[in-house]
Amino acid sequence: QLQASGGGLVQAGGSLRLSCTVSGRTLKQHIIGWFRQGPGEEREFVAAIRWSVGSTTYVDSVKGRFTIPRDIAKNTVYLQMNSLKPEDTAVYFCAAREGNYFYNTQNRYDFWGQGTQVTVSS
């Protein structure tokens, strides 16, 4: 299971850290990703991390503002969001897939957590 948390309301320019804790499985060759879905929009890829080595990938719109670190001991992946913009407002989801290849489409991910709302006010 994946448990996402950490959403909230923040002013533009502020920061939030989302957490995604994985339980019930040992993470080895897995990709953990974050997606988001804004009002009236389709779910889009945000970032992902290759659990085994910590390599990461990001959508262009968040590069330089978001990072996706992991805590191996806690089986947790974070989404550190800095310099937030109103257009970052969305429900954020974490997801996992087995394997070592990055994919940015939701149908490639097998396990999903519940969403957590992030609202950025202008």
Side-chain angles (χ1 to χ4, degrees), residues 49-88:
I49 185 168
R50 185 176 284 123
W51 181 265
S52 58
V53 296
S55 51
T56 58
T57 186
Y58 301 89
V59 69
D60 285 348
S61 60
V62 308
K63 284 180 180 177
R65 300 189 299 122
F66 292 10
T67 59
I68 182 171
R70 74 193 190 305
D71 186 326
I72 295 175
K74 295 182 178 180
N75 241 30
T76 297
V77 171
Y78 304 96
L79 186 66
Q80 177 64 46
M81 305 184 293
N82 301 324
S83 302
L84 281 161
K85 305 175 181 180
E87 52 263 44
D88 295 317

Short mmCIF file of all heavy atoms in Angstrom, two decimals, residues 49-88:
data_model
loop_
_atom_site.label_atom_id
_atom_site.label_comp_id
_atom_site.label_asym_id
_atom_site.label_seq_id
_atom_site.Cartn_x
_atom_site.Cartn_y
_atom_site.Cartn_z
N ILE A 49 11.47 8.48 -9.02
CA ILE A 49 12.78 8.09 -8.52
C ILE A 49 12.96 6.59 -8.71
O ILE A 49 12.02 5.81 -8.52
CB ILE A 49 12.95 8.50 -7.04
CG1 ILE A 49 14.37 8.20 -6.56
CG2 ILE A 49 11.91 7.81 -6.16
CD1 ILE A 49 14.70 8.84 -5.21
N ARG A 50 14.15 6.22 -9.10
CA ARG A 50 14.53 4.81 -9.20
C ARG A 50 15.03 4.41 -7.82
O ARG A 50 16.09 4.86 -7.38
CB ARG A 50 15.59 4.64 -10.27
CG ARG A 50 15.98 3.21 -10.55
CD ARG A 50 16.97 3.15 -11.71
NE ARG A 50 16.33 3.35 -13.00
CZ ARG A 50 16.68 4.29 -13.87
NH1 ARG A 50 17.64 5.15 -13.58
NH2 ARG A 50 16.05 4.39 -15.04
N TRP A 51 14.25 3.56 -7.15
CA TRP A 51 14.50 3.29 -5.73
C TRP A 51 15.89 2.71 -5.48
O TRP A 51 16.55 3.07 -4.52
CB TRP A 51 13.45 2.32 -5.19
CG TRP A 51 13.62 2.02 -3.74
CD1 TRP A 51 14.28 0.97 -3.18
CD2 TRP A 51 13.15 2.83 -2.65
NE1 TRP A 51 14.24 1.06 -1.81
CE2 TRP A 51 13.55 2.19 -1.46
CE3 TRP A 51 12.43 4.03 -2.58
CZ2 TRP A 51 13.25 2.71 -0.20
CZ3 TRP A 51 12.13 4.55 -1.32
CH2 TRP A 51 12.54 3.89 -0.16
N SER A 52 16.35 1.83 -6.35
CA SER A 52 17.60 1.10 -6.10
C SER A 52 18.82 2.01 -6.05
O SER A 52 19.74 1.78 -5.27
CB SER A 52 17.80 0.02 -7.16
OG SER A 52 17.82 0.61 -8.45
N VAL A 53 18.84 3.06 -6.88
CA VAL A 53 20.03 3.90 -6.96
C VAL A 53 19.75 5.37 -6.70
O VAL A 53 20.68 6.17 -6.60
CB VAL A 53 20.74 3.76 -8.32
CG1 VAL A 53 21.25 2.33 -8.48
CG2 VAL A 53 19.82 4.14 -9.46
N GLY A 54 18.49 5.75 -6.63
CA GLY A 54 18.16 7.13 -6.31
C GLY A 54 18.15 8.09 -7.48
O GLY A 54 18.03 9.30 -7.27
N SER A 55 18.28 7.59 -8.69
CA SER A 55 18.23 8.50 -9.84
C SER A 55 16.81 9.01 -10.04
O SER A 55 15.85 8.33 -9.67
CB SER A 55 18.75 7.81 -11.10
OG SER A 55 18.10 6.58 -11.29
N THR A 56 16.70 10.19 -10.61
CA THR A 56 15.40 10.86 -10.67
C THR A 56 15.11 11.43 -12.05
O THR A 56 16.01 11.62 -12.87
CB THR A 56 15.35 12.01 -9.65
OG1 THR A 56 16.42 12.92 -9.92
CG2 THR A 56 15.48 11.50 -8.23
N THR A 57 13.86 11.74 -12.28
CA THR A 57 13.43 12.41 -13.51
C THR A 57 12.26 13.32 -13.17
O THR A 57 11.49 13.03 -12.24
CB THR A 57 13.06 11.40 -14.61
OG1 THR A 57 12.78 12.10 -15.83
CG2 THR A 57 11.85 10.57 -14.21
N TYR A 58 12.15 14.43 -13.90
CA TYR A 58 11.13 15.43 -13.61
C TYR A 58 10.48 15.94 -14.91
O TYR A 58 11.14 16.01 -15.95
CB TYR A 58 11.75 16.64 -12.89
CG TYR A 58 12.43 16.32 -11.61
CD1 TYR A 58 13.79 15.97 -11.57
CD2 TYR A 58 11.74 16.36 -10.40
CE1 TYR A 58 14.41 15.65 -10.39
CE2 TYR A 58 12.37 16.06 -9.20
CZ TYR A 58 13.71 15.70 -9.22
OH TYR A 58 14.33 15.39 -8.03
N VAL A 59 9.24 16.34 -14.79
CA VAL A 59 8.62 17.06 -15.89
C VAL A 59 9.24 18.45 -15.95
O VAL A 59 9.67 19.00 -14.92
CB VAL A 59 7.09 17.12 -15.69
CG1 VAL A 59 6.72 18.03 -14.52
CG2 VAL A 59 6.39 17.59 -16.96
N ASP A 60 9.33 19.01 -17.14
CA ASP A 60 10.04 20.27 -17.31
C ASP A 60 9.49 21.40 -16.43
O ASP A 60 10.24 22.24 -15.94
CB ASP A 60 9.98 20.71 -18.77
CG ASP A 60 10.91 19.90 -19.66
OD1 ASP A 60 11.77 19.16 -19.12
OD2 ASP A 60 10.77 19.98 -20.89
N SER A 61 8.19 21.40 -16.20
CA SER A 61 7.56 22.52 -15.49
C SER A 61 7.96 22.60 -14.03
O SER A 61 7.72 23.63 -13.38
CB SER A 61 6.04 22.44 -15.61
OG SER A 61 5.57 21.22 -15.06
N VAL A 62 8.55 21.54 -13.48
CA VAL A 62 8.93 21.57 -12.06
C VAL A 62 10.44 21.47 -11.86
O VAL A 62 10.91 21.55 -10.72
CB VAL A 62 8.23 20.45 -11.25
CG1 VAL A 62 6.73 20.48 -11.47
CG2 VAL A 62 8.80 19.08 -11.57
N LYS A 63 11.19 21.32 -12.92
CA LYS A 63 12.64 21.22 -12.79
C LYS A 63 13.20 22.48 -12.13
O LYS A 63 12.83 23.59 -12.47
CB LYS A 63 13.29 21.02 -14.16
CG LYS A 63 13.14 19.62 -14.71
CD LYS A 63 13.81 19.49 -16.07
CE LYS A 63 13.65 18.09 -16.61
NZ LYS A 63 14.24 17.94 -17.97
N GLY A 64 14.09 22.27 -11.17
CA GLY A 64 14.67 23.38 -10.45
C GLY A 64 13.84 23.84 -9.26
O GLY A 64 14.31 24.62 -8.44
N ARG A 65 12.62 23.36 -9.15
CA ARG A 65 11.74 23.73 -8.02
C ARG A 65 11.39 22.53 -7.15
O ARG A 65 11.27 22.67 -5.93
CB ARG A 65 10.45 24.36 -8.55
CG ARG A 65 10.67 25.61 -9.37
CD ARG A 65 9.34 26.31 -9.68
NE ARG A 65 8.42 25.48 -10.46
CZ ARG A 65 7.20 25.15 -10.06
NH1 ARG A 65 6.73 25.58 -8.89
NH2 ARG A 65 6.42 24.42 -10.85
N PHE A 66 11.20 21.39 -7.74
CA PHE A 66 10.81 20.18 -7.01
C PHE A 66 11.97 19.20 -6.98
O PHE A 66 12.76 19.11 -7.92
CB PHE A 66 9.63 19.48 -7.69
CG PHE A 66 8.31 20.22 -7.65
CD1 PHE A 66 8.23 21.53 -7.22
CD2 PHE A 66 7.15 19.57 -8.03
CE1 PHE A 66 7.01 22.20 -7.18
CE2 PHE A 66 5.92 20.21 -8.01
CZ PHE A 66 5.85 21.53 -7.59
N THR A 67 12.05 18.45 -5.89
CA THR A 67 12.97 17.32 -5.81
C THR A 67 12.22 16.13 -5.23
O THR A 67 11.19 16.29 -4.57
CB THR A 67 14.21 17.63 -4.96
OG1 THR A 67 13.79 17.97 -3.63
CG2 THR A 67 15.03 18.75 -5.55
N ILE A 68 12.76 14.94 -5.47
CA ILE A 68 12.09 13.71 -5.03
C ILE A 68 13.11 12.82 -4.31
O ILE A 68 13.59 11.82 -4.85
CB ILE A 68 11.41 13.00 -6.23
CG1 ILE A 68 10.67 11.75 -5.80
CG2 ILE A 68 12.39 12.72 -7.39
CD1 ILE A 68 9.80 11.11 -6.90
N PRO A 69 13.44 13.17 -3.06
CA PRO A 69 14.37 12.35 -2.28
C PRO A 69 13.65 11.14 -1.68
O PRO A 69 12.42 11.08 -1.67
CB PRO A 69 14.84 13.30 -1.19
CG PRO A 69 13.67 14.22 -0.98
CD PRO A 69 13.01 14.37 -2.32
N ARG A 70 14.44 10.21 -1.21
CA ARG A 70 13.86 9.03 -0.56
C ARG A 70 14.56 8.76 0.75
O ARG A 70 15.72 9.16 0.94
CB ARG A 70 13.98 7.79 -1.46
CG ARG A 70 15.39 7.20 -1.55
CD ARG A 70 15.50 6.23 -2.64
NE ARG A 70 16.68 5.42 -2.75
CZ ARG A 70 17.94 5.79 -2.83
NH1 ARG A 70 18.26 7.05 -2.73
NH2 ARG A 70 18.92 4.92 -3.00
N ASP A 71 13.87 8.10 1.65
CA ASP A 71 14.44 7.65 2.92
C ASP A 71 14.29 6.14 2.94
O ASP A 71 13.19 5.61 3.14
CB ASP A 71 13.70 8.30 4.10
CG ASP A 71 14.34 7.99 5.43
OD1 ASP A 71 14.88 6.86 5.60
OD2 ASP A 71 14.29 8.86 6.32
N ILE A 72 15.40 5.44 2.72
CA ILE A 72 15.34 3.99 2.60
C ILE A 72 14.87 3.34 3.89
O ILE A 72 14.07 2.41 3.88
CB ILE A 72 16.72 3.45 2.18
CG1 ILE A 72 17.08 3.95 0.78
CG2 ILE A 72 16.74 1.93 2.23
CD1 ILE A 72 18.47 3.58 0.33
N ALA A 73 15.33 3.84 5.02
CA ALA A 73 14.98 3.25 6.31
C ALA A 73 13.48 3.36 6.58
O ALA A 73 12.90 2.51 7.25
CB ALA A 73 15.77 3.92 7.42
N LYS A 74 12.87 4.41 6.07
CA LYS A 74 11.45 4.63 6.31
C LYS A 74 10.56 4.15 5.17
O LYS A 74 9.34 4.32 5.22
CB LYS A 74 11.19 6.12 6.57
CG LYS A 74 11.84 6.64 7.84
CD LYS A 74 11.50 8.11 8.06
CE LYS A 74 12.12 8.63 9.36
NZ LYS A 74 11.80 10.06 9.59
N ASN A 75 11.17 3.61 4.12
CA ASN A 75 10.40 3.17 2.95
C ASN A 75 9.52 4.30 2.43
O ASN A 75 8.35 4.09 2.06
CB ASN A 75 9.53 1.96 3.30
CG ASN A 75 9.88 0.74 2.48
OD1 ASN A 75 11.03 0.56 2.07
ND2 ASN A 75 8.90 -0.10 2.23
N THR A 76 10.09 5.48 2.39
CA THR A 76 9.30 6.67 2.07
C THR A 76 9.98 7.49 0.99
O THR A 76 11.21 7.64 0.98
CB THR A 76 9.12 7.54 3.33
OG1 THR A 76 8.39 6.79 4.30
CG2 THR A 76 8.39 8.82 3.03
N VAL A 77 9.17 7.99 0.09
CA VAL A 77 9.61 8.92 -0.94
C VAL A 77 8.91 10.25 -0.69
O VAL A 77 7.73 10.28 -0.33
CB VAL A 77 9.27 8.39 -2.34
CG1 VAL A 77 9.53 9.46 -3.40
CG2 VAL A 77 10.09 7.15 -2.65
N TYR A 78 9.64 11.32 -0.86
CA TYR A 78 9.11 12.65 -0.65
C TYR A 78 9.00 13.41 -1.97
O TYR A 78 9.68 13.07 -2.95
CB TYR A 78 10.00 13.44 0.31
CG TYR A 78 10.21 12.76 1.63
CD1 TYR A 78 11.35 11.98 1.86
CD2 TYR A 78 9.27 12.87 2.65
CE1 TYR A 78 11.53 11.33 3.07
CE2 TYR A 78 9.45 12.23 3.87
CZ TYR A 78 10.58 11.46 4.06
OH TYR A 78 10.76 10.83 5.27
N LEU A 79 8.18 14.40 -1.98
CA LEU A 79 8.17 15.38 -3.07
C LEU A 79 8.34 16.75 -2.40
O LEU A 79 7.41 17.26 -1.80
CB LEU A 79 6.89 15.33 -3.89
CG LEU A 79 6.90 16.24 -5.12
CD1 LEU A 79 7.93 15.76 -6.14
CD2 LEU A 79 5.50 16.30 -5.75
N GLN A 80 9.56 17.26 -2.48
CA GLN A 80 9.85 18.57 -1.91
C GLN A 80 9.55 19.61 -2.96
O GLN A 80 10.16 19.63 -4.02
CB GLN A 80 11.32 18.65 -1.49
CG GLN A 80 11.73 20.00 -0.94
CD GLN A 80 11.01 20.36 0.35
OE1 GLN A 80 10.92 19.53 1.27
NE2 GLN A 80 10.49 21.57 0.44
N MET A 81 8.58 20.45 -2.66
CA MET A 81 8.11 21.45 -3.62
C MET A 81 8.45 22.84 -3.12
O MET A 81 7.96 23.27 -2.08
CB MET A 81 6.60 21.29 -3.82
CG MET A 81 6.18 19.89 -4.21
SD MET A 81 4.42 19.75 -4.56
CE MET A 81 3.74 20.03 -2.93
N ASN A 82 9.29 23.53 -3.86
CA ASN A 82 9.70 24.89 -3.52
C ASN A 82 9.22 25.86 -4.61
O ASN A 82 8.88 25.44 -5.71
CB ASN A 82 11.22 24.96 -3.39
CG ASN A 82 11.76 24.04 -2.32
OD1 ASN A 82 11.14 23.84 -1.28
ND2 ASN A 82 12.94 23.49 -2.56
N SER A 83 9.22 27.12 -4.27
CA SER A 83 8.81 28.16 -5.23
C SER A 83 7.49 27.81 -5.89
O SER A 83 7.33 27.89 -7.12
CB SER A 83 9.90 28.36 -6.30
OG SER A 83 11.13 28.71 -5.69
N LEU A 84 6.54 27.44 -5.08
CA LEU A 84 5.25 26.98 -5.60
C LEU A 84 4.51 28.10 -6.33
O LEU A 84 4.61 29.28 -5.96
CB LEU A 84 4.40 26.43 -4.47
CG LEU A 84 4.77 25.00 -4.04
CD1 LEU A 84 4.24 24.69 -2.66
CD2 LEU A 84 4.28 24.00 -5.06
N LYS A 85 3.78 27.69 -7.35
CA LYS A 85 3.00 28.61 -8.18
C LYS A 85 1.53 28.20 -8.13
O LYS A 85 1.22 27.03 -7.90
CB LYS A 85 3.49 28.55 -9.62
CG LYS A 85 4.97 28.81 -9.81
CD LYS A 85 5.38 28.61 -11.26
CE LYS A 85 6.86 28.86 -11.45
NZ LYS A 85 7.27 28.66 -12.87
N PRO A 86 0.63 29.13 -8.38
CA PRO A 86 -0.80 28.75 -8.40
C PRO A 86 -1.10 27.60 -9.36
O PRO A 86 -1.97 26.78 -9.08
CB PRO A 86 -1.47 30.04 -8.83
CG PRO A 86 -0.58 31.12 -8.33
CD PRO A 86 0.81 30.58 -8.51
N GLU A 87 -0.35 27.51 -10.43
CA GLU A 87 -0.60 26.43 -11.39
C GLU A 87 -0.15 25.07 -10.88
O GLU A 87 -0.40 24.05 -11.53
CB GLU A 87 0.06 26.73 -12.73
CG GLU A 87 1.52 27.10 -12.65
CD GLU A 87 1.72 28.61 -12.68
OE1 GLU A 87 0.97 29.33 -11.98
OE2 GLU A 87 2.65 29.07 -13.38
N ASP A 88 0.50 25.02 -9.73
CA ASP A 88 0.84 23.75 -9.10
C ASP A 88 -0.32 23.19 -8.30
O ASP A 88 -0.24 22.06 -7.79
CB ASP A 88 2.05 23.90 -8.18
CG ASP A 88 3.32 24.26 -8.92
OD1 ASP A 88 3.57 23.68 -9.99
OD2 ASP A 88 4.07 25.13 -8.43
#
